[in-house]
Amino acid sequence: MSDAPVYEIDPGAFWADPYPDLKRMRAEAPIAYVPQLGATLITRRDDIFEQEKRVEVFSSDQPQGLMTVLMGQNMMRKDGAAHMAERKAIFPTVSPKTVKQVWTAQFRAATERVLEDLAPRGACDLVRDYALPVSAEALKVITGLTNMTAAEMDRVSQGMIDGCANYAGDPAVEARCHDCTASIDAHIDAMIPVLDASPDHSLLSVQRRAGLSDAQTRANIKLAISGGQNEPRDAIAGTAWAVLSHPEALARLRSGAVPWLRAFEEYARWISPIGMSPRRVAQRATVQGVTLEPEDRVFLMFGSGNRDESVFTNPDRFDLDQDIAAAISFGAGPHFCAGAWASKALIGEVALPLLFKRLPGLALDGEARFGGWAFRGPITVPVRWEPAPREG
């Protein structure tokens, strides 16, 4: 085990709001062992930025890690040539060109359908009723699992996320995760003959044409679902809540003085939807005076790094003028999020501007609730607006 100073947390309080503990860690013990998590946490932005690139020490290959055990060994759990080979294979699905020429129009059409159903209602929960289906419909076409409902896409994503963060070893959480991965496999089985007959840009189709094994293909689709549903879902609802809570920011966005993408990027810094990425220590190393031993578990705390006082001005505030060049919301090294371009298009170009354009008088209608530390986002965001008259 590392000789890092020990920092104790209350797991419930940390889930409800990790930022006070993370701030104290950055100040007093920026590399600390947290026994409740069974891991050494790296909390300062520059340390995370530097150490994530040292894959010979901080390895993503984690044979006994929860993600590998529960979902299969995807490309996020590989390093070097093996990682790059799979990343290259999926690039035709997530490239900026494909996002612009193929996916964005489909994102827009699906989002407009969701808004058409919502507009007459006058009130909803932005997480459940808007962000969830918008994110899921986008992920269905990207993965190729168009036979899955939006509700099921969200369910299986959440089930895998909970499983991968199940460091307490709750058997019920693990059982739900297995049920969710079985559902994904069943949907993949049904779509293979369809996409083999009519290939497209989807992740399932592209990987099969690239010659990846069935195990690789399935593991990478599960990876895409585990991060590609909750991160956009939480960022859409969370960014909307942030700008509705800051009227001056909303006015600038509505006027076009600031692009909606900027609001998403600042939200992702402020409340990082993906707050942590785990690593296995592959060889003995010393970082900032702390010695790490082989097989130690290390958590790179992106959510903490994005609030580092030594890097960002007023880091605990949502600020459209914040310099976000140093933000590590999508990672910092070779495992930089492959879906970043798709997320930016879906959230910054489609979901946010259409939401505020289509629902006049949109306003908060109660208290929003947030939770999580490895993955963090709103649980509920109640809103109201001027309902559109129903046709007919």
Side-chain angles (χ1 to χ4, degrees), residues 241 364-369 380-382:
W241 165 81
L364 296 175
D365 192 28
E367 184 177 353
R369 291 188 296 113
T380 181
V381 179

Side-chain angles (χ1 to χ4, degrees), residues 4-86:
V6 174
Y7 186 97
E8 304 270 355
I9 64 167
D10 175 333
F14 197 67
W15 183 89
D17 184 1
Y19 295 114
D21 279 310
L22 293 172
K23 186 172 187 175
R24 186 176 172 189
M25 276 188 256
R26 288 194 302 272
E28 301 176 6
I31 301 179
Y33 179 75
V34 178
Q36 291 80 8
L37 303 178
T40 300
L41 277 57
I42 299 181
T43 59
R44 286 182 179 167
R45 184 267 176 197
D46 288 351
D47 290 339
I48 297 168
F49 186 81
E50 293 169 9
Q51 301 308 319
E52 188 180 7
K53 298 176 176 65
R54 298 179 65 196
V55 296
E56 73 281 2
V57 174
F58 298 100
S59 177
S60 293
D61 183 5
Q62 301 165 44
Q64 301 307 313
L66 287 171
M67 178 176 279
T68 302
V69 171
L70 295 170
M71 296 163 52
Q73 189 177 19
N74 58 57
M75 69 178 190
M76 275 287 289
R77 291 296 175 260
K78 298 178 182 180
D79 291 315
H83 167 74
M84 291 308 299
E86 291 188 31

Side-chain angles (χ1 to χ4, degrees), residues 149-309:
T149 66
E152 180 66 357
M153 182 66 79
D154 192 76
R155 185 188 79 86
V156 298
S157 174
Q158 194 63 53
M160 290 190 296
I161 289 166
D162 293 343
C164 291
N166 185 28
Y167 296 105
D170 186 331
V173 173
E174 181 177 346
R176 284 195 299 272
C177 184
H178 286 307
D179 178 70
C180 291
T181 58
S183 173
I184 295 169
D185 282 328
H187 284 85
I188 290 173
D189 290 340
M191 288 305 299
I192 284 175
V194 176
L195 291 172
D196 283 355
S198 301
D200 62 12
H201 287 84
S202 71
L203 193 56
L204 177 54
S205 184
V206 162
Q207 288 186 103
R208 287 180 64 79
R209 295 202 304 277
L212 267 60
S213 71
D214 186 63
Q216 289 173 302
T217 297
R218 292 173 187 268
N220 286 330
I221 289 175
K222 290 168 187 171
L223 168 66
I225 293 173
S226 69
Q229 169 63 7
N230 75 296
E231 187 270 338
R233 179 198 67 201
D234 294 349
I236 291 166
T239 307
W241 165 81
V243 299
L244 288 169
S245 303
H246 296 78
E248 72 291 346
L250 178 55
R252 294 171 67 191
L253 290 159
R254 284 189 182 279
S255 72
V258 178
W260 284 99
L261 178 59
R262 179 61 180 237
F264 161 51
E265 291 176 331
E266 167 59 0
Y267 174 81
R269 178 206 65 81
W270 183 47
I271 301 182
S272 304
I274 298 177
M276 180 277 285
S277 186
R279 295 293 187 272
R280 175 181 61 86
V281 176
Q283 62 184 49
R284 197 170 193 260
T286 300
V287 179
Q288 302 292 3
V290 172
T291 299
L292 300 158
E293 301 292 347
E295 303 308 316
D296 280 354
R297 184 164 61 191
V298 169
F299 291 166
L300 304 177
M301 301 300 291
F302 296 142
S304 175
N306 278 335
R307 290 200 181 195
D308 192 328
E309 301 82 356

Side-chain angles (χ1 to χ4, degrees), residues 85-206:
E86 291 188 31
R87 197 176 182 96
K88 182 179 179 181
I90 72 160
F91 187 71
T93 298
V94 297
S95 73
K97 181 179 178 181
T98 302
V99 170
K100 181 178 180 179
Q101 296 184 355
V102 179
W103 302 134
T104 300
Q106 296 187 48
F107 295 166
R108 186 175 299 275
T111 300
E112 288 176 342
R113 289 194 297 271
V114 173
L115 286 167
E116 189 65 26
D117 289 338
L118 276 181
R121 291 171 49 178
C124 78
D125 173 12
L126 271 184
V127 179
R128 180 192 64 227
D129 300 320
Y130 182 66
L132 185 160
V134 166
S135 180
E137 292 298 335
L139 194 56
K140 285 166 58 177
V141 294
I142 288 176
T143 58
L145 302 188
T146 53
N147 56 338
M148 186 178 285
T149 66
E152 180 66 357
M153 182 66 79
D154 192 76
R155 185 188 79 86
V156 298
S157 174
Q158 194 63 53
M160 290 190 296
I161 289 166
D162 293 343
C164 291
N166 185 28
Y167 296 105
D170 186 331
V173 173
E174 181 177 346
R176 284 195 299 272
C177 184
H178 286 307
D179 178 70
C180 291
T181 58
S183 173
I184 295 169
D185 282 328
H187 284 85
I188 290 173
D189 290 340
M191 288 305 299
I192 284 175
V194 176
L195 291 172
D196 283 355
S198 301
D200 62 12
H201 287 84
S202 71
L203 193 56
L204 177 54
S205 184
V206 162

